Amino acid sequence: MESKYTLGVKQQRKDNMEKYYLGLGGQLADEELKRIGHQSLFLLNLVNVIPETMDEIQNLYLSFEQICGSFGKKPNSLLDFSAFDEVTTMDLFKKEIKTWAKDWYINEEWVIEYLFQTFMVWFENEQTKYNLFLFNPVIGKVQNLIDEVNQNGQLVLPIYNPATESEQLYRKRVEKIVNSYIGKTNKVFWENRFSNADEKRTTNHYMWFIHYHVLGETFEDIAHEFFKDGSVDKVRKEINKIYDSIGLNEKIEIRIITKNKSNKKGVRENL
């Protein structure tokens, strides 16, 4: 007989599998939410494959925090960069993020804005540091849709009395109410251009992508490392899909990478 601990771990794994959706983790998403989901997953895998990148992101945040302090702002307070000198200073800071992104061959506007907005979230709520899956401009839109569904009051279920009714009978009794509520909510989201959310690509696909685009390995190198049997076509196909889904230019820079096993980043020389 399995212990409660073992059963709990199995349930947790099952719950995690059910959350394999992009965006906010739910079943519906609009196009912007899908794109941000892919981008978040890319950055999460980047810091896992190359831990040095997370160290550098944290150092960038310390600079951001110091700048906020120079404006007289303290952590866990809301930011409002409305003054001219603040806006100018923050534009200069974004250039620091841009330099970092360029060094890692991910110099796209969305990368810079994603990290800048994430730093704002970290500053306003220190408990979120250092979570890279936070920035999401669609959250406000989603909340408005939820409020629209619940404008006449949230779902209220009838009372369950286990002394007079079995759990099975109660579930049947409330099933119609729950189904109606789910249907009504889905309808509002569908009417606002939400559709079935993309399922997450496997972590391996993003790892391949990072090895190819960031570390400069070839499709053949990656196929041999991950498959041993040289599934080059599969690797090429999945990597090319990610370029489009995260919005990254395949040819941002031409470079030569001298591989160094002790230094994942390698030695880069721009041509």
Side-chain angles (χ1 to χ4, degrees):
M1 183 175 179
E2 292 182 300
S3 68
K4 289 184 178 179
Y5 173 79
T6 303
L7 291 172
V9 170
K10 283 190 172 182
Q11 181 61 45
Q12 187 175 22
R13 287 176 182 165
K14 182 174 181 292
D15 291 343
N16 288 339
M17 289 298 293
E18 290 172 352
K19 294 175 184 175
Y20 267 33
Y21 290 101
L22 288 168
L24 294 176
Q27 295 179 187
L28 298 179
D30 65 3
E31 291 307 310
E32 186 178 9
L33 194 54
K34 291 176 184 178
R35 173 60 61 88
I36 291 170
H38 284 289
Q39 292 170 345
S40 300
L41 203 54
F42 163 69
L43 290 174
L44 287 169
N45 278 277
L46 175 68
V47 299
N48 285 331
V49 174
I50 315 174
E52 180 182 349
T53 57
M54 190 60 185
D55 294 336
E56 293 171 353
I57 288 171
Q58 291 175 351
N59 286 334
L60 282 169
Y61 174 69
L62 291 177
S63 296
F64 177 88
E65 202 171 43
Q66 288 171 358
I67 292 171
C68 292
S70 71
F71 298 148
K73 296 174 180 177
K74 297 180 179 180
N76 290 322
S77 62
L78 295 180
L79 297 172
D80 176 22
F81 302 118
S82 54
F84 175 77
D85 60 333
E86 293 181 5
V87 172
T88 303
T89 304
M90 282 306 173
D91 282 343
L92 290 173
F93 173 72
K94 284 185 179 181
K95 290 181 179 178
E96 290 188 37
I97 302 178
K98 185 180 180 70
T99 299
W100 172 84
K102 186 176 181 181
D103 190 41
W104 288 105
Y105 308 103
I106 53 175
N107 183 21
E108 296 281 0
E109 190 59 35
W110 73 260
V111 175
I112 294 145
E113 193 61 30
Y114 190 108
L115 287 178
F116 182 78
Q117 296 288 344
T118 298
F119 291 163
M120 290 180 68
V121 174
W122 289 353
F123 188 86
E124 292 175 356
N125 184 354
E126 283 193 307
Q127 293 182 347
T128 63
K129 296 190 311 188
Y130 290 97
N131 188 339
L132 283 174
F133 200 78
L134 285 171
F135 166 52
N136 206 312
V138 188
I139 291 177
K141 177 181 177 180
V142 169
Q143 188 57 52
N144 288 338
L145 296 179
I146 292 295
D147 291 343
E148 180 182 336
V149 174
N150 295 292
Q151 59 186 339
N152 296 321
Q154 292 185 336
L155 174 68
V156 178
L157 295 177
I159 294 173
Y160 167 52
N161 184 345
T164 61
E165 183 178 25
S166 70
E167 182 178 327
Q168 184 178 9
L169 288 175
Y170 178 77
R171 287 181 184 277
K172 287 183 177 180
R173 188 156 62 92
V174 300
E175 187 175 4
K176 287 183 179 180
I177 299 172
V178 174
N179 288 343
S180 174
Y181 176 70
I182 290 173
K184 179 182 177 183
T185 304
N186 284 341
K187 184 174 182 292
V188 169
F189 274 75
W190 287 331
E191 289 172 348
N192 283 272
R193 298 177 181 271
F194 278 67
S195 59
N196 290 333
D198 297 339
E199 289 191 21
K200 288 182 181 177
R201 310 192 71 74
T202 69
T203 299
N204 268 353
H205 295 166
Y206 285 91
M207 289 175 64
W208 303 345
F209 182 84
I210 291 160
H211 278 268
Y212 176 77
H213 182 83
V214 181
L215 297 176
E217 296 180 12
T218 66
F219 294 129
E220 290 76 13
D221 290 337
I222 297 164
H224 179 72
E225 181 177 351
F226 286 88
F227 289 101
K228 309 302 181 187
D229 62 352
S231 302
V232 179
D233 289 342
K234 177 178 177 62
V235 169
R236 180 185 293 107
K237 178 182 177 183
E238 297 302 336
I239 287 175
N240 285 335
K241 284 181 182 178
I242 292 176
Y243 271 110
D244 181 59
S245 64
I246 68 175
L248 195 62
N249 183 0
E250 185 173 359
K251 297 179 180 178
I252 292 176
E253 259 180 64
I254 301 174
R255 77 272 192 184
I256 298 173
I257 296 185
T258 303
K259 293 180 183 176
N260 182 339
K261 297 262 186 195
S262 65
N263 180 5
K264 272 284 189 182
K265 188 174 179 181
V267 179
R268 294 177 172 77
E269 296 177 5
N270 294 334
L271 293 179

